[in-house]
Amino acid sequence: MRERTTIYLVALSASCMGLCFFVSSFLSATDPDTTHASWETSALTEHASPAEETAGHEHSSAAKSLIASLSAQELEQGFKIIADPAGDSSLIVHPNSPCWIELPQTQDAMFTEPSQLTTDFLGAESCMPCHKENYATFISTSHYRASQAASSKSILGSFAAGENRLETNHPDLSFTMTEADNGAFYQNVHLRSLTRRVRFDIVTGSGNLAQTYLFWDGDRLFQMHVSYYTQLKHWINSPGYHDGTAWYARETIPKCAECHMTYMEPIPDSRNRFQRSQVIFGVTCERCHGPGREHVEHHRKYPGDRKSRFITNPSHLSQQAMNDVCAQCHLGSAEPLQQPFSFRPGDRVQDFWKVAESEGSQQGNVHSSNQLQRLTMSKCFAGSQMTCGDCHDPHRNERGDLALFSQRCIRCHPPADCHTATGLGAPAVKNCIDCHMGMGYDDHIQMETTETIHMPLLRDHNVRVLPEATQRFMKQLNR
């Protein structure tokens, strides 16, 4: 079994830096009943269920928060709540356990927001009446499923008894995933005899590799501790989360939302506060074509106008501008320079994000969002007007169709120029990909289990000659 880091000494978030001193002092105390002046127990109420939220109502009352105050029985059992001095989160701890539950501290008030969308983004359904064919195929793509409202259909993990549990490497801490009578879904975290539940609100990730889940605490958005890993077909600790802890205070920042949503309205001067009525799930039509309100209104008013107005067709842009549309989410790690969701097709991506220098390094590795940076290292990219759209049809789910992608390679690279293809014939012609675009582990995404660390295997978009990959491919053919 992999050696486990002592959990209570690890700072899981920026807010934890201030908490670790209090936690380590508390856990080393010899008298569990000792009262410390630094402890703060907040009386907090559970997050409202969908049935309890009034549709179309302006949110202006005090926010409901996730954490319940400790009961008299829990206090007698030795549980304490330690408040972060910075006011960002709280820990539920027990003196005889190295585990903890970290949750957001209560929020004073919610932002008053309108009940309907006020943005110029409309969502893919507004495109469907005039673009039925593209819409029908697009809804099966990973982009469309980049985020969804949590439901029995969108959550891939099982809630069946025996399959709905995540154990950790410490017997004090475990998780169960359950469906409530009101149709809501919850992660239940168990710390010794104490249980707290957190509601699934948003699903992120298409599920091709994994899914991670978000929850609302008032108008603040946080990531849940337990994710679903498709390769294992099981629940798992979320990427970057340590096994043996329960962390529900990781903020969902606007950059996360930009690469999983069509639109989400951030509340000014906040890190993870959003207007809950201003959300369009999935990375859909308008992230590539621009906001559709003016376009839709014009063509509804003038149905006979056959020229597309007030919308951008990326294929009509320059090579750089067309690739910049994809670069919004596939450029790698980047620091935002402007307001979220302000990029429009035709803009220069460098005016909106400052890309980390490591993303352009040959020593870098694949990860889930740096495909374009890896592609620009390729000789075939440098010597051409190549765009992402030359290989990918964004309106269709083509994932894993190596023969189809190979046909697109052959348009520029005749099989006669390939020694492997001339020697092996059709099998090689149908699979340029495994020889020239190898697979690599994404070490940016590490998911811990009780025994090991899992990293997803991703396709490298740095197109080149890979002798080892070619040898593996030839061995597979000879089996």
Side-chain angles (χ1 to χ4, degrees):
M1 182 177 293
R2 179 176 51 82
E3 182 177 351
R4 182 168 66 91
T5 305
T6 305
I7 296 300
Y8 61 82
L9 295 180
V10 178
L12 294 180
S13 66
S15 64
C16 266
M17 295 299 289
L19 284 169
C20 285
F21 170 77
F22 293 109
V23 175
S24 58
S25 299
F26 173 64
L27 294 175
S28 63
T30 56
D31 181 2
D33 295 325
T34 302
T35 302
H36 290 255
S38 61
W39 293 337
E40 297 178 17
T41 302
S42 302
L44 306 173
T45 58
E46 193 175 336
H47 183 62
S49 70
E52 293 167 333
E53 294 179 351
T54 304
H57 185 269
E58 291 191 358
H59 303 293
S60 58
S61 59
K64 292 185 177 181
S65 190
L66 155 77
I67 318 165
S69 61
L70 292 174
S71 67
Q73 182 180 6
E74 290 166 342
L75 289 169
E76 289 176 2
Q77 292 169 343
F79 291 100
K80 298 289 183 181
I81 292 181
I82 302 177
D84 172 17
D88 292 330
S89 61
S90 296
L91 299 185
I92 298 178
V93 297
H94 191 280
N96 297 327
S97 177
C99 305
W100 68 50
I101 305 174
E102 183 181 358
L103 304 114
Q105 283 197 30
T106 187
Q107 180 183 331
D108 292 334
M110 286 178 64
F111 183 83
T112 300
E113 61 176 82
S115 60
Q116 297 180 338
L117 279 170
T118 58
T119 174
D120 287 336
F121 289 87
L122 298 176
E125 289 68 26
S126 297
C127 306
M128 187 268 291
C130 296
H131 304 279
K132 291 182 175 65
E133 182 179 345
N134 280 341
Y135 178 84
T137 56
F138 177 69
I139 58 177
S140 66
T141 65
S142 300
H143 283 118
Y144 184 82
R145 294 179 283 115
S147 62
Q148 304 171 73
S151 69
S152 59
K153 292 183 178 180
S154 63
I155 301 172
L156 295 181
S158 175
F159 292 86
E163 300 176 353
N164 65 335
R165 191 169 180 86
L166 176 65
E167 304 288 350
T168 72
N169 55 23
H170 198 286
D172 282 357
L173 188 71
S174 63
F175 304 83
T176 55
M177 277 46 73
T178 58
E179 180 178 3
D181 292 339
N182 63 3
F185 297 88
Y186 290 90
Q187 291 186 8
N188 303 272
V189 53
H190 312 287
L191 176 60
R192 295 170 70 93
S193 60
L194 178 145
T195 297
R196 293 293 180 270
R197 70 178 191 171
V198 185
R199 198 184 81 189
F200 289 82
D201 286 318
I202 295 174
V203 177
T204 64
S206 66
N208 291 329
L209 299 175
Q211 286 184 335
T212 288
Y213 308 100
L214 312 179
F215 70 93
W216 289 107
D217 182 52
D219 55 26
R220 298 181 300 171
L221 196 58
F222 295 91
Q223 184 176 347
M224 303 181 84
H225 185 98
V226 180
S227 290
Y228 176 80
Y229 190 37
T230 305
Q231 178 181 327
L232 298 179
K233 294 183 171 59
H234 202 269
W235 304 101
I236 197 169
N237 294 295
S238 291
Y241 284 55
H242 292 281
D243 187 73
T245 67
W247 186 19
Y248 288 88
R250 176 187 271 183
E251 297 169 332
T252 302
I253 60 175
K255 181 59 179 170
C256 300
E258 283 186 292
C259 289
H260 285 278
M261 309 282 183
T262 295
Y263 185 77
M264 202 173 198
E265 179 67 35
I267 293 174
D269 302 320
S270 69
R271 294 190 301 266
N272 69 324
R273 297 177 65 194
F274 302 89
Q275 296 186 36
R276 294 175 61 165
S277 66
Q278 309 291 297
V279 177
I280 301 176
F281 292 117
V283 177
T284 61
C285 316
E286 292 162 292
R287 291 302 301 276
C288 300
H289 295 278
R293 182 178 297 278
E294 193 173 5
H295 171 73
V296 170
E297 289 178 349
H298 173 83
H299 287 282
R300 283 177 178 171
K301 187 176 181 179
Y302 303 103
D305 188 354
R306 308 309 298 170
K307 183 176 181 180
S308 183
R309 311 278 184 180
F310 310 111
I311 205 75
T312 300
N313 185 336
S315 66
H316 297 165
L317 299 174
S318 67
Q319 178 206 25
Q320 183 63 55
M322 187 174 178
N323 286 334
D324 278 357
V325 171
C326 304
Q328 294 178 79
C329 298
H330 296 281
L331 195 63
S333 301
E335 176 186 347
L337 301 176
Q338 298 197 37
Q339 290 299 309
F341 297 99
S342 57
F343 178 92
R344 299 291 181 265
D347 287 342
R348 301 192 320 158
V349 73
Q350 61 264 38
D351 294 335
F352 292 79
W353 291 279
K354 180 180 179 181
V355 180
E357 293 183 5
S358 61
E359 297 294 351
S361 170
Q362 287 284 356
Q363 284 70 45
N365 201 355
V366 297
H367 65 79
S368 60
S369 63
N370 73 345
Q371 292 89 344
L372 184 56
Q373 286 294 86
R374 299 291 292 174
L375 179 64
T376 59
M377 300 176 188
S378 311
K379 287 185 178 180
C380 60
F381 179 89
S384 71
Q385 289 295 305
M386 186 177 184
T387 69
C388 305
D390 290 334
C391 299
H392 294 280
D393 183 344
H395 299 111
R396 285 164 177 76
N397 182 3
E398 300 174 339
R399 184 179 179 85
D401 193 339
L402 302 186
L404 175 63
F405 287 117
S406 297
Q407 285 300 311
R408 292 168 184 167
C409 299
I410 291 170
R411 289 185 301 199
C412 298
H413 303 281
D417 295 342
C418 175
H419 297 296
T420 303
T422 54
L424 296 176
V429 174
K430 292 180 179 179
N431 190 354
C432 308
I433 311 304
D434 280 339
C435 291
H436 296 282
M437 299 178 67
M439 303 291 285
Y441 286 101
D442 183 355
D443 55 11
H444 293 72
I445 300 179
Q446 300 189 9
M447 295 167 283
E448 294 189 7
T449 67
T450 56
E451 297 179 348
T452 189
I453 294 176
H454 289 268
M455 294 177 288
L457 194 61
L458 302 176
R459 183 70 64 184
D460 190 354
H461 281 61
N462 183 359
V463 185
R464 60 200 189 278
V465 175
L466 295 167
E468 292 183 0
T470 302
Q471 290 175 7
R472 287 195 297 269
F473 173 69
M474 294 178 71
K475 285 181 180 179
Q476 290 175 350
L477 290 180
N478 294 328
R479 286 180 181 176

